[in-house]
Amino acid sequence: MTSRTVALDAQLHAYLLDIGLTEHPVLAELRHFTAGHRLAKMQIAPEQGQLMRWLLTLTGARRYLEVGVFTGYSSLSAALAMGEAGRVTACDVSETFTAIAREYWQKAGVADRVDLRMGPALDTLKALIAEGEAGRFDFAFIDADKPSYPAYLDACHTLVRPGGIIAVDNVFLSGRVVSPQAGDPPGVALMHAFNAALVLDERFEMCVVPVGDGLTLLTRR
């Protein structure tokens, strides 16, 4: 027994993946491809993808909203978890990154389930609200520019149904968030304040999971 989460060294992490990861072959291929990318650290951890797929299956989610696509691992995870009836709405600004995502969505046979919306994510979220999509999403995943997290969360609160889930990534910022320093990027202090505010936010039930770079799970009240 232990009173705190066990730290994962390389050996224990490899064991975790051995016993706890069930990936579609195209997901595994995408993960290994992205590992060689110059910005590979932007991809979610495979065990985080496993957790998200489990949550989507557990809740019977059919509509998934993603803010920040990168090469598509999380959106592909969602599309596969939700099955043929599921639909993904994904927001990003990079044609370069999402070209990779499109390739792997196609390989996995889910491209027709993904609505990729290019442009600033906040503009896309506002447009979705204007289109009458408020309260129609089951699950939202926020993994984009950190200074915009409060605005993304407010928009996702509108777009996700009561009882739906909002997952917020990178809440640990590799540990820097604990004690922001004067020379840190501005996102560090902003994330520190964002995390502190979430504890008191009565719009949600919340749980912080020490997976990947820290994942906060919120259920909309």
Side-chain angles (χ1 to χ4, degrees):
M1 300 293 290
T2 178
S3 61
R4 59 185 295 177
T5 301
V6 174
L8 298 179
D9 60 15
Q11 184 177 25
L12 186 54
H13 183 253
Y15 178 70
L16 166 64
L17 299 187
D18 283 344
I19 65 166
L21 183 63
T22 55
E23 275 181 317
H24 187 284
V26 179
L27 263 181
E29 182 183 343
L30 173 56
R31 177 164 61 88
H32 291 301
F33 173 85
T34 305
H37 194 282
R38 64 184 178 84
L39 295 174
K41 66 180 182 179
M42 288 174 57
Q43 179 171 263
I44 66 170
E47 61 270 25
Q48 181 174 326
Q50 184 81 20
L51 173 62
M52 290 172 60
R53 292 192 297 277
W54 181 79
L55 285 169
L56 287 160
T57 302
L58 177 71
T59 59
R62 287 296 176 264
R63 298 199 67 198
Y64 168 91
L65 175 62
E66 180 164 288
V67 181
V69 175
F70 190 38
T71 60
Y73 187 87
S74 49
S75 51
L76 178 55
S77 287
L80 290 168
M82 293 188 296
E84 292 184 4
R87 292 295 179 267
V88 171
T89 301
C91 313
D92 208 286
V93 295
S94 173
E95 293 284 0
T96 302
F97 294 157
T98 56
I100 299 168
R102 289 178 190 270
E103 177 185 346
Y104 283 89
W105 295 336
Q106 191 68 42
K107 278 189 178 183
V110 301
D112 62 335
R113 306 178 204 169
V114 182
D115 176 13
L116 176 62
R117 303 215 179 182
M118 302 301 299
L122 193 55
D123 290 348
T124 298
L125 298 174
K126 289 177 179 177
L128 288 168
I129 294 169
E131 292 166 16
E133 297 289 355
R136 298 190 62 191
F137 287 90
D138 301 303
F139 194 113
F141 180 48
I142 301 172
D143 184 15
D145 56 303
K146 309 315 174 209
S148 297
Y149 268 29
Y152 294 152
L153 180 62
D154 287 344
C156 287
H157 174 262
T158 299
L159 288 161
V160 170
R161 63 172 174 80
I165 295 172
I166 302 172
V168 184
D169 201 21
N170 301 122
V171 298
F172 289 170
L173 291 181
S174 301
R176 291 178 297 171
V177 74
V178 174
S179 182
Q181 302 299 310
D184 285 338
V188 178
L190 289 168
M191 183 62 81
H192 181 90
F194 176 79
N195 288 341
L198 270 184
V199 179
L200 305 174
D201 196 327
E202 296 184 353
R203 297 176 298 173
F204 307 105
E205 296 288 349
M206 61 92 71
C207 176
V208 180
V209 184
V211 64
D213 190 27
L215 182 70
T216 295
L217 297 174
L218 305 166
T219 303
R220 182 186 165 188
R221 287 175 169 162

PDB file of all heavy atoms in Angstrom, residues 28-49:
ATOM      1  N   ALA A  28      -0.992   2.896 -32.955  1.00  0.00           N
ATOM      2  CA  ALA A  28       0.398   2.585 -32.611  1.00  0.00           C
ATOM      3  C   ALA A  28       1.346   3.128 -33.678  1.00  0.00           C
ATOM      4  O   ALA A  28       2.410   3.688 -33.357  1.00  0.00           O
ATOM      5  CB  ALA A  28       0.566   1.076 -32.452  1.00  0.00           C
ATOM      6  N   GLU A  29       0.975   2.983 -34.936  1.00  0.00           N
ATOM      7  CA  GLU A  29       1.812   3.488 -36.021  1.00  0.00           C
ATOM      8  C   GLU A  29       1.960   5.004 -35.920  1.00  0.00           C
ATOM      9  O   GLU A  29       3.065   5.553 -36.081  1.00  0.00           O
ATOM     10  CB  GLU A  29       1.195   3.108 -37.367  1.00  0.00           C
ATOM     11  CG  GLU A  29       2.015   3.541 -38.567  1.00  0.00           C
ATOM     12  CD  GLU A  29       1.344   3.212 -39.890  1.00  0.00           C
ATOM     13  OE1 GLU A  29       0.422   2.371 -39.904  1.00  0.00           O
ATOM     14  OE2 GLU A  29       1.735   3.817 -40.908  1.00  0.00           O
ATOM     15  N   LEU A  30       0.861   5.706 -35.650  1.00  0.00           N
ATOM     16  CA  LEU A  30       0.913   7.155 -35.519  1.00  0.00           C
ATOM     17  C   LEU A  30       1.768   7.564 -34.328  1.00  0.00           C
ATOM     18  O   LEU A  30       2.558   8.515 -34.407  1.00  0.00           O
ATOM     19  CB  LEU A  30      -0.502   7.717 -35.370  1.00  0.00           C
ATOM     20  CG  LEU A  30      -0.622   9.210 -35.062  1.00  0.00           C
ATOM     21  CD1 LEU A  30       0.093  10.052 -36.108  1.00  0.00           C
ATOM     22  CD2 LEU A  30      -2.089   9.616 -34.943  1.00  0.00           C
ATOM     23  N   ARG A  31       1.625   6.858 -33.226  1.00  0.00           N
ATOM     24  CA  ARG A  31       2.417   7.182 -32.033  1.00  0.00           C
ATOM     25  C   ARG A  31       3.908   7.044 -32.307  1.00  0.00           C
ATOM     26  O   ARG A  31       4.709   7.915 -31.931  1.00  0.00           O
ATOM     27  CB  ARG A  31       1.997   6.288 -30.872  1.00  0.00           C
ATOM     28  CG  ARG A  31       2.804   6.500 -29.597  1.00  0.00           C
ATOM     29  CD  ARG A  31       2.119   5.885 -28.394  1.00  0.00           C
ATOM     30  NE  ARG A  31       1.939   4.445 -28.517  1.00  0.00           N
ATOM     31  CZ  ARG A  31       2.837   3.536 -28.144  1.00  0.00           C
ATOM     32  NH1 ARG A  31       4.014   3.923 -27.634  1.00  0.00           N
ATOM     33  NH2 ARG A  31       2.584   2.245 -28.247  1.00  0.00           N
ATOM     34  N   HIS A  32       4.287   5.977 -32.964  1.00  0.00           N
ATOM     35  CA  HIS A  32       5.704   5.770 -33.267  1.00  0.00           C
ATOM     36  C   HIS A  32       6.207   6.784 -34.297  1.00  0.00           C
ATOM     37  O   HIS A  32       7.352   7.255 -34.209  1.00  0.00           O
ATOM     38  CB  HIS A  32       5.926   4.343 -33.749  1.00  0.00           C
ATOM     39  CG  HIS A  32       5.741   3.310 -32.674  1.00  0.00           C
ATOM     40  ND1 HIS A  32       6.485   3.297 -31.516  1.00  0.00           N
ATOM     41  CD2 HIS A  32       4.880   2.268 -32.568  1.00  0.00           C
ATOM     42  CE1 HIS A  32       6.094   2.303 -30.746  1.00  0.00           C
ATOM     43  NE2 HIS A  32       5.125   1.657 -31.368  1.00  0.00           N
ATOM     44  N   PHE A  33       5.365   7.144 -35.253  1.00  0.00           N
ATOM     45  CA  PHE A  33       5.754   8.169 -36.224  1.00  0.00           C
ATOM     46  C   PHE A  33       5.993   9.502 -35.519  1.00  0.00           C
ATOM     47  O   PHE A  33       7.008  10.175 -35.744  1.00  0.00           O
ATOM     48  CB  PHE A  33       4.672   8.332 -37.297  1.00  0.00           C
ATOM     49  CG  PHE A  33       4.922   9.490 -38.225  1.00  0.00           C
ATOM     50  CD1 PHE A  33       5.738   9.338 -39.333  1.00  0.00           C
ATOM     51  CD2 PHE A  33       4.352  10.739 -37.979  1.00  0.00           C
ATOM     52  CE1 PHE A  33       5.988  10.405 -40.189  1.00  0.00           C
ATOM     53  CE2 PHE A  33       4.590  11.813 -38.823  1.00  0.00           C
ATOM     54  CZ  PHE A  33       5.413  11.640 -39.928  1.00  0.00           C
ATOM     55  N   THR A  34       5.077   9.884 -34.647  1.00  0.00           N
ATOM     56  CA  THR A  34       5.175  11.182 -33.980  1.00  0.00           C
ATOM     57  C   THR A  34       6.341  11.225 -33.005  1.00  0.00           C
ATOM     58  O   THR A  34       6.889  12.300 -32.726  1.00  0.00           O
ATOM     59  CB  THR A  34       3.855  11.506 -33.258  1.00  0.00           C
ATOM     60  OG1 THR A  34       2.771  11.423 -34.194  1.00  0.00           O
ATOM     61  CG2 THR A  34       3.865  12.908 -32.670  1.00  0.00           C
ATOM     62  N   ALA A  35       6.764  10.080 -32.496  1.00  0.00           N
ATOM     63  CA  ALA A  35       7.916  10.036 -31.588  1.00  0.00           C
ATOM     64  C   ALA A  35       9.173  10.603 -32.242  1.00  0.00           C
ATOM     65  O   ALA A  35      10.081  11.083 -31.547  1.00  0.00           O
ATOM     66  CB  ALA A  35       8.158   8.610 -31.117  1.00  0.00           C
ATOM     67  N   GLY A  36       9.228  10.568 -33.565  1.00  0.00           N
ATOM     68  CA  GLY A  36      10.381  11.115 -34.281  1.00  0.00           C
ATOM     69  C   GLY A  36      10.212  12.562 -34.694  1.00  0.00           C
ATOM     70  O   GLY A  36      11.109  13.141 -35.323  1.00  0.00           O
ATOM     71  N   HIS A  37       9.094  13.157 -34.356  1.00  0.00           N
ATOM     72  CA  HIS A  37       8.816  14.541 -34.730  1.00  0.00           C
ATOM     73  C   HIS A  37       9.577  15.493 -33.802  1.00  0.00           C
ATOM     74  O   HIS A  37       9.787  15.196 -32.628  1.00  0.00           O
ATOM     75  CB  HIS A  37       7.309  14.795 -34.616  1.00  0.00           C
ATOM     76  CG  HIS A  37       6.830  16.050 -35.266  1.00  0.00           C
ATOM     77  ND1 HIS A  37       6.981  17.292 -34.697  1.00  0.00           N
ATOM     78  CD2 HIS A  37       6.196  16.254 -36.456  1.00  0.00           C
ATOM     79  CE1 HIS A  37       6.464  18.209 -35.487  1.00  0.00           C
ATOM     80  NE2 HIS A  37       5.972  17.611 -36.560  1.00  0.00           N
ATOM     81  N   ARG A  38       9.966  16.650 -34.327  1.00  0.00           N
ATOM     82  CA  ARG A  38      10.727  17.607 -33.516  1.00  0.00           C
ATOM     83  C   ARG A  38       9.918  18.115 -32.320  1.00  0.00           C
ATOM     84  O   ARG A  38      10.485  18.584 -31.330  1.00  0.00           O
ATOM     85  CB  ARG A  38      11.191  18.783 -34.380  1.00  0.00           C
ATOM     86  CG  ARG A  38      10.064  19.630 -34.953  1.00  0.00           C
ATOM     87  CD  ARG A  38      10.565  20.728 -35.881  1.00  0.00           C
ATOM     88  NE  ARG A  38       9.483  21.497 -36.451  1.00  0.00           N
ATOM     89  CZ  ARG A  38       8.889  22.523 -35.847  1.00  0.00           C
ATOM     90  NH1 ARG A  38       9.304  22.902 -34.640  1.00  0.00           N
ATOM     91  NH2 ARG A  38       7.906  23.185 -36.425  1.00  0.00           N
ATOM     92  N   LEU A  39       8.592  18.026 -32.393  1.00  0.00           N
ATOM     93  CA  LEU A  39       7.730  18.458 -31.291  1.00  0.00           C
ATOM     94  C   LEU A  39       6.989  17.273 -30.683  1.00  0.00           C
ATOM     95  O   LEU A  39       5.849  17.388 -30.254  1.00  0.00           O
ATOM     96  CB  LEU A  39       6.735  19.514 -31.786  1.00  0.00           C
ATOM     97  CG  LEU A  39       7.351  20.836 -32.259  1.00  0.00           C
ATOM     98  CD1 LEU A  39       6.280  21.745 -32.856  1.00  0.00           C
ATOM     99  CD2 LEU A  39       8.073  21.550 -31.115  1.00  0.00           C
ATOM    100  N   ALA A  40       7.671  16.145 -30.620  1.00  0.00           N
ATOM    101  CA  ALA A  40       7.041  14.909 -30.151  1.00  0.00           C
ATOM    102  C   ALA A  40       6.447  15.045 -28.757  1.00  0.00           C
ATOM    103  O   ALA A  40       5.457  14.385 -28.424  1.00  0.00           O
ATOM    104  CB  ALA A  40       8.057  13.769 -30.171  1.00  0.00           C
ATOM    105  N   LYS A  41       7.005  15.925 -27.929  1.00  0.00           N
ATOM    106  CA  LYS A  41       6.500  16.067 -26.554  1.00  0.00           C
ATOM    107  C   LYS A  41       5.073  16.616 -26.515  1.00  0.00           C
ATOM    108  O   LYS A  41       4.416  16.552 -25.474  1.00  0.00           O
ATOM    109  CB  LYS A  41       7.425  16.973 -25.746  1.00  0.00           C
ATOM    110  CG  LYS A  41       7.468  18.405 -26.216  1.00  0.00           C
ATOM    111  CD  LYS A  41       8.410  19.240 -25.358  1.00  0.00           C
ATOM    112  CE  LYS A  41       8.419  20.703 -25.805  1.00  0.00           C
ATOM    113  NZ  LYS A  41       9.316  21.521 -24.959  1.00  0.00           N
ATOM    114  N   MET A  42       4.588  17.131 -27.656  1.00  0.00           N
ATOM    115  CA  MET A  42       3.217  17.648 -27.687  1.00  0.00           C
ATOM    116  C   MET A  42       2.178  16.539 -27.783  1.00  0.00           C
ATOM    117  O   MET A  42       0.992  16.777 -27.580  1.00  0.00           O
ATOM    118  CB  MET A  42       3.049  18.609 -28.871  1.00  0.00           C
ATOM    119  CG  MET A  42       3.763  19.934 -28.688  1.00  0.00           C
ATOM    120  SD  MET A  42       3.720  20.996 -30.162  1.00  0.00           S
ATOM    121  CE  MET A  42       1.948  21.139 -30.451  1.00  0.00           C
ATOM    122  N   GLN A  43       2.610  15.316 -28.099  1.00  0.00           N
ATOM    123  CA  GLN A  43       1.657  14.203 -28.190  1.00  0.00           C
ATOM    124  C   GLN A  43       1.318  13.693 -26.801  1.00  0.00           C
ATOM    125  O   GLN A  43       2.194  13.611 -25.932  1.00  0.00           O
ATOM    126  CB  GLN A  43       2.243  13.060 -29.012  1.00  0.00           C
ATOM    127  CG  GLN A  43       1.309  11.866 -29.128  1.00  0.00           C
ATOM    128  CD  GLN A  43       1.797  10.829 -30.111  1.00  0.00           C
ATOM    129  OE1 GLN A  43       1.392  10.792 -31.248  1.00  0.00           O
ATOM    130  NE2 GLN A  43       2.700   9.996 -29.656  1.00  0.00           N
ATOM    131  N   ILE A  44       0.055  13.334 -26.577  1.00  0.00           N
ATOM    132  CA  ILE A  44      -0.321  12.793 -25.277  1.00  0.00           C
ATOM    133  C   ILE A  44       0.342  11.441 -25.055  1.00  0.00           C
ATOM    134  O   ILE A  44       0.702  10.737 -25.992  1.00  0.00           O
ATOM    135  CB  ILE A  44      -1.849  12.666 -25.136  1.00  0.00           C
ATOM    136  CG1 ILE A  44      -2.418  11.627 -26.110  1.00  0.00           C
ATOM    137  CG2 ILE A  44      -2.528  14.013 -25.304  1.00  0.00           C
ATOM    138  CD1 ILE A  44      -3.880  11.287 -25.854  1.00  0.00           C
ATOM    139  N   ALA A  45       0.503  11.083 -23.792  1.00  0.00           N
ATOM    140  CA  ALA A  45       1.061   9.784 -23.441  1.00  0.00           C
ATOM    141  C   ALA A  45       0.088   8.674 -23.861  1.00  0.00           C
ATOM    142  O   ALA A  45      -1.134   8.861 -23.802  1.00  0.00           O
ATOM    143  CB  ALA A  45       1.321   9.708 -21.939  1.00  0.00           C
ATOM    144  N   PRO A  46       0.604   7.519 -24.267  1.00  0.00           N
ATOM    145  CA  PRO A  46      -0.296   6.440 -24.696  1.00  0.00           C
ATOM    146  C   PRO A  46      -1.249   5.992 -23.603  1.00  0.00           C
ATOM    147  O   PRO A  46      -2.404   5.658 -23.878  1.00  0.00           O
ATOM    148  CB  PRO A  46       0.655   5.319 -25.123  1.00  0.00           C
ATOM    149  CG  PRO A  46       1.981   5.662 -24.514  1.00  0.00           C
ATOM    150  CD  PRO A  46       2.024   7.148 -24.421  1.00  0.00           C
ATOM    151  N   GLU A  47      -0.795   5.997 -22.346  1.00  0.00           N
ATOM    152  CA  GLU A  47      -1.695   5.595 -21.258  1.00  0.00           C
ATOM    153  C   GLU A  47      -2.799   6.632 -21.053  1.00  0.00           C
ATOM    154  O   GLU A  47      -3.895   6.290 -20.605  1.00  0.00           O
ATOM    155  CB  GLU A  47      -0.916   5.355 -19.958  1.00  0.00           C
ATOM    156  CG  GLU A  47      -0.164   6.535 -19.406  1.00  0.00           C
ATOM    157  CD  GLU A  47       1.269   6.664 -19.920  1.00  0.00           C
ATOM    158  OE1 GLU A  47       1.562   6.158 -21.027  1.00  0.00           O
ATOM    159  OE2 GLU A  47       2.081   7.283 -19.204  1.00  0.00           O
ATOM    160  N   GLN A  48      -2.526   7.884 -21.411  1.00  0.00           N
ATOM    161  CA  GLN A  48      -3.586   8.889 -21.358  1.00  0.00           C
ATOM    162  C   GLN A  48      -4.617   8.643 -22.451  1.00  0.00           C
ATOM    163  O   GLN A  48      -5.818   8.765 -22.221  1.00  0.00           O
ATOM    164  CB  GLN A  48      -2.992  10.293 -21.514  1.00  0.00           C
ATOM    165  CG  GLN A  48      -4.023  11.398 -21.446  1.00  0.00           C
ATOM    166  CD  GLN A  48      -3.397  12.780 -21.458  1.00  0.00           C
ATOM    167  OE1 GLN A  48      -2.302  12.981 -20.918  1.00  0.00           O
ATOM    168  NE2 GLN A  48      -4.071  13.743 -22.062  1.00  0.00           N
ATOM    169  N   GLY A  49      -4.142   8.275 -23.635  1.00  0.00           N
ATOM    170  CA  GLY A  49      -5.070   7.909 -24.701  1.00  0.00           C
ATOM    171  C   GLY A  49      -5.936   6.727 -24.300  1.00  0.00           C
ATOM    172  O   GLY A  49      -7.141   6.691 -24.582  1.00  0.00           O
TER     173      GLY A  49
END
